[in-house]
């Protein structure tokens, strides 16, 4: 029930996020001055102006002005005093701090700040002074202005805005007081005031001063975007009584109804438009003289006509049907009110968030208020609330509506025009004076021009002479430099010819039958034959010693000393035999490599290549190193001739060079899938893990990690690596190593293991995922590429397991904190890194449990970018299917207005 003349208005927003503290702006007074322009506000205004949104383009003289919002509390009425006697008010006002608290319960509340907080004891005069008076003053200065009341049904919107105060003058509302001030500050002789009074009912604009005119159309200026109502009645106002009579007539035609919440519930939005036209004079401008810059003439003040508009809006309150009890035609009215207020709320939300699109055309109400929110008008909003805890939801929605409106920036602009007729008369007088002055100055100007032309001709002649002299000097200098350059080129050409002749001589000398190369081959063969002979002799000696040892053992205890001596000799021979075998293997690898290089040389010479076409002939040591460069023929031959077990035995050699040589051979052998099974069966994997665990030599660790990475390409070997503790060992190596190549090998091994579905949990528990992510500290592109590949493999396995119903919950990669790095490198300049990361994002997004974290982490924007910019069609299609199949992603894209 309504009391004290308060009328209704309610909001339907059921919930909203509390605005940030930056939006709760304190001010010492609701009456604001024109704020100085800033980059931020100007940028916001320009952004809104550029779009087809809820704005009007501001001119160059526009200044920013935020929408000012005040909140007013209605006192309890008789019904509330009875029904809510045992309950405290749902709001607590702190007017001195311009703040109110909205109670959630007896011990918890939310605090909001407004430009002005008015208690239930605030007078109508105070409400006008803090809410409407600054806007009226701006209208008198030539700006457009808007005052609007928004609130729940029965909270006093119509009382605040449209009260006539016929019985009690102190109860006059904003409409009456605004017209009193306008009439007091305009001149009846030069100024004029016209008023239109309208209502928006069921999405049709009706004239309250002429009820027969019940469907007024809205016309928009295509150039400026200004909105006008050419079909509305315009009544000129000369005094206050005529205006009060006009308001009585309009209120009599306004549609109202009796609901459970209010006996006189407004069923339409009332809009009072006051058009003010004022004549003013501009400032005097001094016209400086061109001779001595002193002011000889004063430009007369411009006669200007300023056209401004004051819009006073009494919004109908949105209703909850279960509370208002509306039915039948009243229900249709409530739907129309709710739709128009909802459209207004959407527009204010879009403006507050600087959205690229503002849905202005969703309702005629938003079209009429186009200039009030985000346009060129100074706007004040008063939100009215009630104290009853039964309507706390509507009170909260009203408060949040006001908070969002405080974020809207308008660009204020004076609308003025020249009074051309008056100006023309004044200009004719000045024109005659200026013509005479111009003739005198023209004579002086012609004399000055003639003098300047003569002086310019003399200076041009002098410059031409200087330029000719400088050009001749430069030409001589260039000729000398050219002759010197030709001489140097001739000397260089002679030198190149001599060098070419020398190279030709070397080409003839260096061929397959050359004595130098043949001697190297013959020397290696001799060394090999000598070592073979020594090995045979050593074997014979060992057999002989063994037979003697057997004889001595049969002879009895008397030969103990001789037996001990023979055992020592036997151990020495075995050690010597082992060293000979190692040297034989190395020599064989050298010979095989030299044979391969000789074949290469023969083919080069057959094609007519130069003598130094193959760089492998530099030195014997380079030949040994190059034997590990990946050529299949010598390494495979060494594997077949020597045997895998003997090569693996060399991994435990005491000689560091032999050990390094052997681990390189094993790494090259492991690169071929045909050799991997034999290496693993012979214990090669265990030996490589022991090398990785025991040796600190960076070369050994790097090559051993590379061999393990090659073996890890086989799924059967991956499980063996896990069983033998290889995951934790690789993780430890990753944390200790600093060499980029070592890290690349370790990352490659872990990346291969990440592709096994059975190792997912083990990789996390033994630190494999953390180690993989930790290696990004190196920043080397090759290392980052392997890390990205491992993440893509792991995400693919997780996606497959989730699709098959094997696992649930969010990704282990997200739990380990990998998402920020993935998002950061999704658009990496390196193509391999970018491709793996894009695949990882697509696989992570296929599981709905990851969607929320990916949205919060910014991955949604990268997925949208992939659908548009990725160079590979299969990845683009995968990203598009993933986004379309996820409910959360589709909902977020709709909220952000993203279209694929």
């Amino acid at each position: 029930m309504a009391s004290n003349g308060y009328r209704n208005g309610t909001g339907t927003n059921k919930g909203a996020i509390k605005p940030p503290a930056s939006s709760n702006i304190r001010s010492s007074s609701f009456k604001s001055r024109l704020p100085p322009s800033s980059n931020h506000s100007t940028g916001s205004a320009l952004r809104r102006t550029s779009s087809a949104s809820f704005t009007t383009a501001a001119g160059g003289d526009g200044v920013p002005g935020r929408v000012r919002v005040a909140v007013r509390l209605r006192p309890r009425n008789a019904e509330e005093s009875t029904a809510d006697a045992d309950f405290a008010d749902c709001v607590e006002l702190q007017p001195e701090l311009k703040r109110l608290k909205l109670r959630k319960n007896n011990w918890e509340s939310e605090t909001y700040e407004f430009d002005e907080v008015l208690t239930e004891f605030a007078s109508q005069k105070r409400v006008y002074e803090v809410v409407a008076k600054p806007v009226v003053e701006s209208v008198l200065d030539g700006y457009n202005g808007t005052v609007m009341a928004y609130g729940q049904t029965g909270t006093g919107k119509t009382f605040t805005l449209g009260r006539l105060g016929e019985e009690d003058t102190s109860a006059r509302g904003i409409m009456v007081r605004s017209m009193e001030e306008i009439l007091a500050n305009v001149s009846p002789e030069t100024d004029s005031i016209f008023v239109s009074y309208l209502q928006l009912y069921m999405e049709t604009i009706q004239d309250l001063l002429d009820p027969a005119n019940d469907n007024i159309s809205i016309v928009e200026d295509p150039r400026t975007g200004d909105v006008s109502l050419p079909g509305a009645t315009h009544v000129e106002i000369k005094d206050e009584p005529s205006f009060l009579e006009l308001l009585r007539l309009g209120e009599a035609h306004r549609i109202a109804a009796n609901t459970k919440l209010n006996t006189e519930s407004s069923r339409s939005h009332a809009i009072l438009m006051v058009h003010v036209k004022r004549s003013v004079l501009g400032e005097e401008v001094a016209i400086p003289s061109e001779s001595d810059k002193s002011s000889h003439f004063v430009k007369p003040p411009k006669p200007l006509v300023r056209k401004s508009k004051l819009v006073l809006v009494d919004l109908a309150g949105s209703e909850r049907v279960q509370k208002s009890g509306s039915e039948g035609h009243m229900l249709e009215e409530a739907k129309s009110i709710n739709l128009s207020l909802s459209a207004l709320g959407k527009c204010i939300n879009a403006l507050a968030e600087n959205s690229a699109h503002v849905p202005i055309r969703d309702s005629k109400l938003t079209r009429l208020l186009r200039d009030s929110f985000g346009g060129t008008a100074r706007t004040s909003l008063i939100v009215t609330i009630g104290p009853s805890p039964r309507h706390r939801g509507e009170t909260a929605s009203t408060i949040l509506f006001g908070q969002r409106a405080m974020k809207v920036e308008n660009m204020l602009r004076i609308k003025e025009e020249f009074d051309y007729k008056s100006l023309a008369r004044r200009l004719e007088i000045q024109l005659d004076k200026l013509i005479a002055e111009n003739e005198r100055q023209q004579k002086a100007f012609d004399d000055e021009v003639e003098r300047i032309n003569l002086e310019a001709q003399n200076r041009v002649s002098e410059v031409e002479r200087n330029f000719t002299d400088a050009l001749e000097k430069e030409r001589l200098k260039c000729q000398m430099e050219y002759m010197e350059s030709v001489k140097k080129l001739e000397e260089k050409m002679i030198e190149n010819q001599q060098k070419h002749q020398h190279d030709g001589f070397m080409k003839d000398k260096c061929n397959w039958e050359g004595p130098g190369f043949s001697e190297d081959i013959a020397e290696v063969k001799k060394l090999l034959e000598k070592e073979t002979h020594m090995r045979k002799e050593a074997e014979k000696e060992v057999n002989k010693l063994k037979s003697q040892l057997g004889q001595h053992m049969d002879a009895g205890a008397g030969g103990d000393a001789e037996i001990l001596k023979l055992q020592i000799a036997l151990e020495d021979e075995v050690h010597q035999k082992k060293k000979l075998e190692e040297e034989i293997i190395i020599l064989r690898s050298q010979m095989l490599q030299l044979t391969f290089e000789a074949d290469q040389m023969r083919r080069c010479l057959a094609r007519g290549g130069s003598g130094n076409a193959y760089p492998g002939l530099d030195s014997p040591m380079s030949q040994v190193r190059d034997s590990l460069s990946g050529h299949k023929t010598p390494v495979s031959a060494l594997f077949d001739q020597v045997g895998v077990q003997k090569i693996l035995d060399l991994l435990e050699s005491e000689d560091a060079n032999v050990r390094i040589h052997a681990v390189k051979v094993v790494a090259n052998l492991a690169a071929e899938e045909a050799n991997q099974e034999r290496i693993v069966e012979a214990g090669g994997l265990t030996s490589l893990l022991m090398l990785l665990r025991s040796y600190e030599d960076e070369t050994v660790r790097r090559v051993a990690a590379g061999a393990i990475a090659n073996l890890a390409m086989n799924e059967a070997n991956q499980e063996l690596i896990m069983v033998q503790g290889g995951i934790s060992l690789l993780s430890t190596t990753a944390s200790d190593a600093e060499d980029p190549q070592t890290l690349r090998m370790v990352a490659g091994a872990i990346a291969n293991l990440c592709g096994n579905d059975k190792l997912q949990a083990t990789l996390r528990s033994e630190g494999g995922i953390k180690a993989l992510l930790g290696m990004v500290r190196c920043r080397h592109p090759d290392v980052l590429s392997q890390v990205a590949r491992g993440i893509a493999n792991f995400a693919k396995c997780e996606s497959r397991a989730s699709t098959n119903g094997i696992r649930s919950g969010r990704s282990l990669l997200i739990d380990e904190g990998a998402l920020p790095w993935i998002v950061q490198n999704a658009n990496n300049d390196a193509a391999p890194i970018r491709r793996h990361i894009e695949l990882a994002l697509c696989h992570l997004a296929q599981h709905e449990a990851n969607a929320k974290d990916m949205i919060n982490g910014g991955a949604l924007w990268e997925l949208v970018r992939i659908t548009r910019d990725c160079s590979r069609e299969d990845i683009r299609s995968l990203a598009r299917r993933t986004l379309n199949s996820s409910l959360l992603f589709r909902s977020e894209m709709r909220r952000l207005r993203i279209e694929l």
Side-chain angles (χ1 to χ4, degrees), residues 123-134:
S123 65
Q124 291 282 74
K125 181 179 180 180
R126 169 152 176 77
V127 173
Y128 170 76
E129 288 179 347
V130 299
V131 175
K133 188 171 182 177

Side-chain angles (χ1 to χ4, degrees), residues 516-575:
F517 195 82
S518 301
E519 288 176 2
D520 289 342
I521 297 294
E523 183 180 355
V524 172
K525 287 184 177 180
K526 288 179 181 179
L527 288 173
L528 181 60
E529 291 174 357
K530 180 179 179 181
E531 294 294 339
T532 305
H533 179 71
M534 291 176 65
R535 178 183 175 185
K536 291 179 180 179
E537 292 295 330
E539 289 178 352
K540 291 179 181 179
E541 187 68 23
V542 169
N543 293 333
K544 180 179 179 182
L545 290 173
K546 284 183 178 179
S547 63
Q548 291 179 1
L549 178 61
Q551 294 175 2
H552 282 288
M553 289 179 67
D554 295 337
D560 290 343
E562 187 68 22
I563 290 172
L564 181 60
K565 183 177 180 181
L566 289 173
Q567 287 177 345
I568 295 172
L570 181 61
E571 291 176 356
D572 292 340
E573 290 295 333
V574 170
H575 182 69

Side-chain angles (χ1 to χ4, degrees), residues 699-752:
T699 303
V700 173
R701 292 208 301 175
R702 179 175 67 253
V703 181
I708 294 171
N710 290 337
L711 294 175
M713 290 187 292
N714 188 301
E715 185 174 354
N717 297 340
Q718 292 172 357
E719 297 184 11
L720 287 175
I721 292 173
M722 179 194 70
V723 171
Q724 297 184 24
I727 295 177
S728 59
L729 185 59
L730 289 169
S731 301
T732 304
T733 306
S735 61
D736 296 341
E738 296 296 336
D739 178 55
Q741 296 306 318
T742 303
L743 291 174
R744 180 173 68 88
M745 298 299 182
V746 174
I750 297 177
N752 290 336

Side-chain angles (χ1 to χ4, degrees), residues 273-446:
M273 294 185 177
V274 181
H275 299 269
V276 180
K277 181 178 179 181
R278 303 190 67 192
S279 297
V280 296
L281 293 177
E283 297 180 356
E284 294 184 351
V285 179
I287 302 177
S289 173
E290 295 185 2
S291 58
D292 56 0
K293 304 299 182 181
S294 61
S295 299
H296 292 282
F297 301 96
V298 176
K299 188 176 181 180
K302 300 177 182 178
L304 303 176
V305 176
R306 289 181 178 174
K307 296 180 180 180
S308 56
K309 178 174 64 174
L310 174 64
V311 181
L312 302 169
V313 185
D314 180 11
L315 295 174
S318 61
E319 297 179 0
R320 293 188 179 180
V321 177
Q322 62 270 30
K323 288 187 177 183
S324 65
S326 299
E327 58 184 8
H329 184 68
M330 289 177 59
L331 180 60
E332 296 301 321
E333 292 174 342
K335 290 180 180 179
S336 177
I337 292 170
N338 290 343
L339 285 175
S340 61
L341 292 177
S342 176
L344 178 61
K346 290 179 181 179
C347 290
I348 290 179
N349 288 345
L351 289 170
E353 297 171 0
N354 285 331
S355 174
H357 171 70
V358 181
I360 179 178
R361 298 190 175 275
D362 288 358
S363 170
K364 288 186 178 180
L365 177 63
T366 56
R367 294 178 65 189
L368 286 172
L369 298 179
R370 174 177 188 152
D371 197 44
S372 303
F373 291 96
T376 62
R378 178 184 292 279
T379 301
S380 289
L381 171 67
I382 180 166
V383 293
T384 58
I385 59 176
S388 175
R390 290 178 298 163
H391 304 302
R392 184 192 176 280
E394 288 82 354
T395 301
S397 296
T398 302
I399 291 172
L400 291 178
F401 180 91
Q403 290 285 293
R404 288 189 291 270
M406 289 176 67
K407 298 180 183 178
V408 178
E409 286 271 348
N410 291 353
M411 186 61 65
L412 311 183
R413 186 182 63 187
I414 294 178
K415 297 184 178 180
E416 57 187 15
E417 301 174 355
F418 290 129
D419 190 350
Y420 291 101
K421 293 182 180 179
S422 175
L423 181 61
R425 288 192 298 269
R426 297 186 182 184
L427 291 179
E428 286 177 357
I429 298 173
Q430 284 196 353
L431 182 60
D432 293 335
K433 296 180 180 179
L434 290 175
I435 289 175
E437 178 66 18
N438 181 63
E439 290 177 352
R440 290 191 295 270
Q441 292 183 0
Q442 184 65 38
K443 181 65 170 63
F445 176 77
D446 293 338

